Amino acid sequence: DSGVTQTPKHLITATGQRVTLRCSPRSGDLSVYWYQQSLDQGLQFLIQYYNGEERAKGNILERFSAQQFPDLHSELNLSSLELGDSALYFCASSYEGGTTDTQYFGPGTRLTVL
Amino acid sequence: AQKVTQAQTEISVVEKEDVTLDCVYETRDTTYYLFWYKQPPSGELVFLIRRNSFDEQNEISGRYSWNFQKSTSSFNFTITASQVVDSAVYFCALSEMNYGGSQGNLIFGKGTKLSVKP
């Protein structure tokens, strides 16, 4: 158990809908990362937050957005869902994204868009 | 551009065999970090090792060992006396540096699926 929690574990929804994925980092960690794992694209970085502020952005679609709250949990919002958004979404956390950090991953949320 | 290549898509071995998973990376940074993660059939990503670019010492942890060679841009992972529980997808990753040297996001290879048969 990495100490990173993600809810829900599974999510099934329809095209055009909007969903919210939630992540709680390990106790003491200030930085949260979101990754998408799909069969064709592999594991891809989406976005990083540090202490409530966006720090880095990867291949995140405009239909997707995220935020990190004062209690340091993070939410990833996916809207106007398409079939191709079906994937495993991971959240990871690290202390501060510093030079001695390691990212620890949560169990993931499996999103299925029908 | 930074890139991680795991040329072996799938490997199948019999229990107790040794197996090496290859990882080749590309980066223009002089300071970078390399990682290995394990993804068992249950789906979670489990951290195995972290290595920085200035530390070329090989590392051994039980049946696991890692060989980092900067000259060939490789960071290979060997499992000695493999066991059925080692069956998983193994990912090699490279960190991008941002914000004045702090570790940024990870760039993953495509992964190597290891099947260990009894």
Side-chain angles (χ1 to χ4, degrees):
Chain A
D1 186 348
S2 66
V4 179
T5 60
Q6 288 187 249
T7 56
K9 194 166 175 60
H10 299 280
L11 200 47
I12 300 174
T13 188
T15 54
Q17 295 298 305
R18 172 189 170 95
V19 297
T20 297
L21 313 183
R22 183 189 168 104
C23 166
S24 292
R26 295 187 318 157
S27 177
D29 283 356
L30 300 174
S31 194
V32 169
Y33 308 76
W34 286 97
Y35 292 84
Q36 179 194 59
Q37 184 179 28
S38 62
L39 281 173
D40 51 346
Q41 298 290 328
L43 269 161
Q44 286 203 308
F45 167 69
L46 296 178
I47 197 163
Q48 177 196 1
Y49 280 83
Y50 169 72
N51 206 19
E53 300 285 328
E54 182 184 304
R55 178 169 267 194
K57 223 168 184 175
N59 298 323
I60 188 166
L61 300 172
E62 284 192 14
R63 300 184 285 109
F64 296 1
S65 64
Q67 52 184 327
Q68 187 180 25
F69 295 86
D71 67 352
L72 301 177
H73 91 271
S74 178
E75 292 180 358
L76 178 67
N77 300 296
L78 315 176
S79 61
S80 303
L81 285 167
E82 302 175 0
L83 295 177
D85 297 327
S86 295
L88 188 52
Y89 290 84
F90 284 107
C91 168
S93 76
S94 72
Y95 175 51
E96 59 177 8
T99 55
T100 59
D101 280 11
T102 291
Q103 292 179 34
Y104 292 92
F105 285 76
T109 293
R110 184 167 295 281
L111 173 67
T112 303
V113 182
L114 301 175
Chain B
Q2 295 175 303
K3 186 179 175 183
V4 175
T5 301
Q6 294 180 256
Q8 304 149 309
T9 307
E10 290 193 43
I11 300 176
S12 182
V13 299
V14 177
E15 214 172 14
K16 296 185 185 175
E17 282 185 28
D18 298 348
V19 58
T20 295
L21 310 182
D22 297 333
C23 172
V24 173
Y25 62 91
E26 295 174 32
T27 180
R28 283 179 292 187
D29 291 333
T30 53
T31 303
Y32 50 90
Y33 294 82
L34 295 162
F35 300 80
W36 278 93
Y37 285 86
K38 173 182 179 180
Q39 187 173 38
S42 50
E44 72 271 25
L45 277 169
V46 179
F47 166 73
L48 294 178
I49 191 171
R50 173 183 183 274
R51 172 67 75 230
N52 76 55
S53 54
F54 296 111
D55 183 1
E56 288 194 69
Q57 280 192 342
N58 292 332
E59 175 133 353
I60 298 174
S61 176
R63 297 183 297 106
Y64 293 173
S65 63
W66 291 269
N67 179 250
F68 176 32
Q69 291 199 335
K70 217 166 171 177
S71 59
T72 56
S73 298
S74 65
F75 186 41
N76 296 337
F77 173 30
T78 297
I79 303 174
T80 303
S82 59
Q83 299 176 1
V84 173
V85 292
D86 296 326
S87 297
V89 180
Y90 291 86
F91 291 93
C92 180
L94 169 71
S95 68
E96 280 191 306
M97 306 303 288
N98 62 18
Y99 282 83
S102 64
Q103 174 194 323
N105 55 283
L106 296 175
I107 300 164
F108 285 89
K110 294 291 188 187
T112 297
K113 183 177 181 180
L114 175 64
S115 298
V116 181
K117 301 188 187 313

